[in-house]
Amino acid sequence: MNIPIAGAAVTKFGEHWTKTLLDLTTEVSQEAMKDAAVSAKAIDAVFVGNMLSGTLQRQEHLGAAVASALGINRSAFKVEGACASGGLAVHLAIQSLLAGTYETVLVVGVEKMTDFPPEEISSYLMRAGSEEERVAGLTFPALYALLAKAHMQEFGTTREHMAYVAVKNHYHASLNSKAQFPFEVSIEKVLNSSKVTDPFTLLDSSPITDGAAALVLTTKKSLKKVSIIASAVATDTIAISDRASLTELAATKNAAKKAFTQAGIAHKDVDIMEVHDCFTIAEILAMEDLGFCAKGEGGAFIASGATKLGGKKPVNTSGGLKACGHPVGATGVKQLVEINDQLLGRGGKKQVEKAKVGLTQNIGGTGATAVVHVLKI
Amino acid sequence: MNIPIAGAAVTKFGEHWTKTLLDLTTEVSQEAMKDAAVSAKAIDAVFVGNMLSGTLQRQEHLGAAVASALGINRSAFKVEGACASGGLAVHLAIQSLLAGTYETVLVVGVEKMTDFPPEEISSYLMRAGSEEERVAGLTFPALYALLAKAHMQEFGTTREHMAYVAVKNHYHASLNSKAQFPFEVSIEKVLNSSKVTDPFTLLDSSPITDGAAALVLTTKKSLKKVSIIASAVATDTIAISDRASLTELAATKNAAKKAFTQAGIAHKDVDIMEVHDCFTIAEILAMEDLGFCAKGEGGAFIASGATKLGGKKPVNTSGGLKACGHPVGATGVKQLVEINDQLLGRGGKKQVEKAKVGLTQNIGGTGATAVVHVLKI
């Protein structure tokens, strides 16, 4: 597979109280089209990744709404898969290009969440999970806390291991002008911030965010040099109680296996990654399930500094979901924008030197969906 | 394009108070897989077409939820485009098959709407339209009524023309054991039923419905003989106030143009159709915009009996959205199930003799999205 990225853009992540959801999609799309040096007329289809616009903005039919706001009257789709909506939208856009049906497509991920009380948002987000676990009162922090507790018990993963993920990603965010929380934190600050669900504190958790990200993909000759060389999706049971193990996400493992085969590369070839750190334990699981360290060693691997800027394999140079922010539908698209920018050498203060191959991992729910992309320059 | 339909199924349309949304998707999927003689293990990806499960059933991430309930752990997607969600899901499933990424896919369209007060549903459905028209107080019946009024004024289309669409489709539904309203009505009964929005009465309007439909599509050798030979999507402005004309749906015209080119067929080759008759005027517009009669002549064309069972080109033999029912996300999939069944000669009492080529037209909102498929045996 070789799908060139012609253009990419991301809005500031944070609170956009003076802009509508369609303002964000129009702004980021126009920036991505400008980066690709194409006009709206060149776009054959618009793929929108979004979870909650029906509930929050009372706008369904979001593909047509986003396309209409851009003056594009061709084809348009909304793809939803909870926090993996963005990654799934990229995957399906790629299918339409591989099929030869469309030549140039716009993929836009978006979510606008901060206009609502956090308690409401938390409740809406639970619609990503299983009905049984939702009605049992489990929240997303609680679901991931169960995974963390199991990991601590089985492998000796510590609170400090998890806190280090937040410390690293906040450091990266401090170098990213688009990040929602661009400031550094210490291990002590993470451990002593307010408790969310044992073992997590506030600083183990990704925030509620407004933001959008966009990609222009084309099978026409592109002036840009970054290509998507793998796009893989895998699913697992929607309820964690139906799974054989609480210490791995099988969907990540299966999507990664497919993606490495498609890309024809080995783990050593991957220079940088953006992974789904909705809670700090999730980045530890991602390192293990993607195969960058042995099962149970994710905490120590990250704490060694290997995945920090300057280390061998920088992970989440954007700041990740944790510190750059997590506008649900935008996240899976923004991960590719960050890798694209790094490979093109336009990463700014957080630039990774000589990165040639990058990987993204985007999760829906508690791992019922996983999407892995590999990008290469 | 040649995508074989290996299996197809549809639930009874109507009120399913004793079943959950996932009960409906599991039941219809198992029936379609049985028809295709494949097990869940053969399914590489699940595409779900649905609009309102997030709001109504509080279940987002519906691709993974439907797949999980079926015990399928491969790939899963939810595609949303208002009332065109089902058609768009079929279109994107086809892209993944053409791309060669998946070999056998399950497409499920579903909506479960009758557990809620009609006023609530009406308000949720308005999320398919533009914010400007929604906050101005326009409902869907009112939007289509504006199109009907313009058509009456410009072309002399009459109330009787519209009522005949309902009479014809209720007659077809009376022969369909899966239809929500399987009884005949007279012109007088349509004209004298309670007023909804001038010029529409209750019997000009499609109902609120629970139901699901499923297709198994495969690029592997299939024992069945029906294939999808065209799949085309087009969009238009989401607000009707932004359009040059109120008497045509440009998206239908554009999708039809693409579909006829893809299929390499002429209008005379089409033997049967399922079109989007959410209100009676919509079937009149469909006949014109698909090109089966001249602009302005749709009312007389249908009233001539040409599109009634026994006529030259039967339209909506299922009873259409009008009388078979309109479970929003299911509609676009069910249209293909009906054509598939007709081409295979398993149409039951409503069987059309010697049908070889069939066409479906599925609309989102007030024509912001149109999806046209062509099937052939």
Side-chain angles (χ1 to χ4, degrees):
Chain A
M1 177 185 308
N2 191 307
I3 302 286
I5 297 179
V10 61
T11 64
K12 173 93 170 85
F13 277 13
E15 297 182 0
H16 286 290
W17 290 4
T18 61
K19 291 177 183 174
T20 67
L21 180 135
L22 290 178
D23 288 341
L24 293 176
T25 57
T26 298
E27 176 185 320
V28 82
S29 299
Q30 286 173 340
E31 198 181 329
M33 290 190 287
K34 192 178 166 193
D35 185 38
V38 299
S39 70
K41 280 185 184 156
I43 304 296
D44 299 318
V46 178
F47 288 78
V48 179
N50 171 267
M51 179 182 176
L52 291 171
S53 76
T55 300
L56 301 180
Q57 281 76 37
R58 300 182 187 181
Q59 183 69 62
E60 304 281 3
H61 208 181
L62 196 64
V66 167
S68 195
L70 286 163
I72 298 174
N73 281 349
R74 304 293 290 279
S75 297
F77 309 90
K78 170 180 162 174
V79 181
E80 191 273 327
C83 307
S85 299
L88 292 178
V90 174
H91 180 78
L92 290 181
I94 289 171
Q95 304 313 306
S96 77
L97 294 169
L98 291 174
T101 303
Y102 306 118
E103 287 188 326
T104 302
V105 302
L106 173 70
V107 188
V108 192
V110 67
E111 209 79 54
K112 190 158 197 297
M113 311 170 76
T114 71
D115 302 337
F116 304 86
E119 304 75 30
E120 264 188 46
I121 295 289
S122 301
S123 141
Y124 298 146
L125 288 173
M126 283 312 296
R127 297 178 183 181
S130 74
E131 187 176 13
E132 293 78 0
E133 291 174 352
R134 182 170 73 242
V135 298
L138 277 163
T139 60
F140 262 104
L143 282 163
Y144 273 95
L146 288 171
L147 306 188
K149 283 281 191 182
H151 209 273
M152 292 170 88
Q153 196 172 339
E154 195 167 339
F155 303 114
T157 299
T158 65
R159 280 294 296 123
E160 286 72 17
H161 284 143
M162 291 184 242
Y164 185 78
V165 173
V167 170
K168 172 182 73 71
N169 290 352
H170 270 280
Y171 166 61
H172 292 167
S174 76
L175 306 172
N176 182 2
S177 61
K178 301 290 181 76
Q180 183 172 11
F181 296 119
F183 53 77
E184 293 194 60
V185 297
S186 63
I187 296 275
E188 293 67 36
K189 188 159 179 185
V190 176
L191 296 180
N192 296 322
S193 64
S194 43
K195 208 77 171 176
V196 171
T197 310
D198 186 57
F200 300 142
T201 68
L202 185 70
L203 285 167
D204 284 287
S205 317
S206 58
I208 288 167
T209 312
D210 304 332
L215 292 167
V216 176
L217 307 179
T218 185
T219 51
K220 289 184 173 174
K221 204 178 158 75
S222 164
L223 295 174
K224 299 296 191 306
K225 291 168 188 159
V226 175
S227 289
I228 301 171
I229 60 169
S231 175
V233 176
T235 62
D236 197 355
T237 63
I238 195 156
I240 64 169
S241 52
D242 288 334
R243 298 184 193 163
S245 168
L246 288 183
T247 55
E248 68 168 32
L249 297 186
T252 296
K253 289 179 78 168
N254 293 331
K257 200 179 295 178
K258 288 198 261 187
F260 277 105
T261 304
Q262 273 178 38
I265 59 162
H267 286 77
K268 66 172 173 44
D269 300 323
V270 176
D271 300 311
I272 48 169
M273 284 175 260
E274 288 282 310
V275 304
H276 201 93
D277 59 328
C278 48
F279 295 94
T280 48
I281 188 68
E283 186 164 319
I284 292 171
L285 290 171
M287 290 301 101
E288 299 171 357
D289 297 332
L290 289 168
F292 288 95
C293 63
K295 179 49 65 186
E297 294 177 9
F301 177 65
I302 297 169
S304 77
T307 62
K308 191 177 173 185
L309 205 56
K312 274 169 57 183
K313 285 191 193 301
V315 173
N316 285 332
T317 52
S318 69
L321 285 62
K322 176 66 207 79
C324 184
H326 183 28
V328 170
T331 286
V333 181
K334 167 244 163 188
Q335 292 180 325
L336 278 93
V337 174
E338 172 66 14
I339 298 288
N340 174 72
D341 286 355
Q342 286 283 359
L343 298 182
L344 287 175
R346 58 188 202 190
K349 289 183 192 168
K350 56 185 169 50
Q351 180 65 46
V352 176
E353 295 304 320
K354 297 181 186 168
K356 301 290 181 199
V357 175
L359 178 148
T360 65
Q361 178 241 20
N362 183 203
I363 290 285
T366 325
T369 299
V371 192
V372 174
H373 284 96
V374 181
L375 283 68
K376 189 179 180 181
I377 191 162
Chain B
M1 175 186 305
N2 192 308
I3 302 287
I5 297 178
V10 62
T11 64
K12 171 96 170 85
F13 277 13
E15 296 184 0
H16 286 289
W17 291 3
T18 61
K19 292 177 182 175
T20 67
L21 181 134
L22 290 178
D23 289 340
L24 293 176
T25 58
T26 297
E27 175 186 320
V28 82
S29 299
Q30 285 173 340
E31 199 183 328
M33 289 189 288
K34 190 177 167 197
D35 185 38
V38 299
S39 70
K41 281 186 182 151
I43 304 296
D44 299 318
V46 179
F47 288 78
V48 179
N50 171 268
M51 179 182 176
L52 290 172
S53 76
T55 299
L56 301 181
Q57 282 76 36
R58 300 183 187 181
Q59 183 68 62
E60 305 280 4
H61 208 180
L62 195 63
V66 168
S68 195
L70 286 163
I72 297 175
N73 282 350
R74 305 294 290 278
S75 298
F77 310 90
K78 171 182 162 173
V79 180
E80 191 274 326
C83 308
S85 298
L88 293 178
V90 174
H91 180 78
L92 290 180
I94 289 172
Q95 303 313 305
S96 77
L97 294 170
L98 290 173
T101 301
Y102 306 118
E103 286 189 324
T104 302
V105 302
L106 173 70
V107 188
V108 191
V110 67
E111 210 80 52
K112 192 158 195 300
M113 311 171 76
T114 71
D115 302 336
F116 304 86
E119 307 73 33
E120 264 188 47
I121 295 288
S122 301
S123 139
Y124 298 147
L125 288 174
M126 283 312 296
R127 298 177 182 181
S130 75
E131 186 176 12
E132 293 78 358
E133 292 175 350
R134 185 171 68 242
V135 300
L138 276 164
T139 61
F140 263 104
L143 283 163
Y144 272 95
L146 288 171
L147 306 188
K149 284 283 193 181
H151 208 272
M152 293 170 88
Q153 195 172 342
E154 198 168 335
F155 303 114
T157 298
T158 65
R159 281 292 298 120
E160 285 73 17
H161 284 143
M162 291 184 243
Y164 185 78
V165 173
V167 171
K168 172 182 74 70
N169 291 351
H170 271 279
Y171 166 62
H172 292 167
S174 76
L175 306 171
N176 181 1
S177 61
K178 300 292 181 75
Q180 184 171 13
F181 296 119
F183 53 78
E184 293 194 60
V185 297
S186 63
I187 297 274
E188 293 66 39
K189 187 160 180 185
V190 177
L191 296 179
N192 296 323
S193 66
S194 45
K195 208 77 173 174
V196 172
T197 311
D198 186 57
F200 299 141
T201 68
L202 185 69
L203 285 168
D204 284 290
S205 317
S206 59
I208 288 166
T209 313
D210 305 333
L215 292 167
V216 176
L217 307 178
T218 184
T219 52
K220 289 186 175 174
K221 204 175 156 79
S222 164
L223 295 174
K224 299 294 190 306
K225 291 166 186 161
V226 175
S227 289
I228 301 171
I229 59 169
S231 176
V233 176
T235 62
D236 196 354
T237 63
I238 195 157
I240 63 168
S241 53
D242 288 334
R243 299 183 194 165
S245 168
L246 288 183
T247 56
E248 68 167 35
L249 297 186
T252 296
K253 289 179 79 168
N254 293 331
K257 201 178 296 178
K258 288 198 262 186
F260 278 105
T261 304
Q262 274 178 36
I265 60 160
H267 286 75
K268 66 172 172 48
D269 300 323
V270 176
D271 301 312
I272 48 168
M273 286 175 258
E274 288 282 310
V275 305
H276 200 94
D277 59 329
C278 49
F279 296 93
T280 49
I281 188 68
E283 185 165 319
I284 293 172
L285 290 172
M287 289 302 100
E288 299 171 359
D289 297 333
L290 289 168
F292 289 94
C293 64
K295 180 49 71 184
E297 295 177 8
F301 177 65
I302 298 169
S304 77
T307 61
K308 192 178 172 183
L309 204 56
K312 274 168 57 182
K313 283 187 194 303
V315 172
N316 285 330
T317 52
S318 68
L321 285 62
K322 176 65 207 76
C324 184
H326 182 29
V328 170
T331 287
V333 180
K334 167 243 164 190
Q335 293 180 325
L336 279 92
V337 174
E338 171 66 14
I339 298 289
N340 174 73
D341 287 353
Q342 287 281 359
L343 297 182
L344 287 174
R346 57 189 203 191
K349 290 184 194 167
K350 56 185 168 52
Q351 180 65 45
V352 176
E353 295 305 317
K354 296 182 187 167
K356 301 290 180 200
V357 175
L359 179 147
T360 65
Q361 176 240 19
N362 184 203
I363 290 288
T366 326
T369 299
V371 192
V372 174
H373 283 97
V374 181
L375 282 69
K376 190 180 178 179
I377 191 160

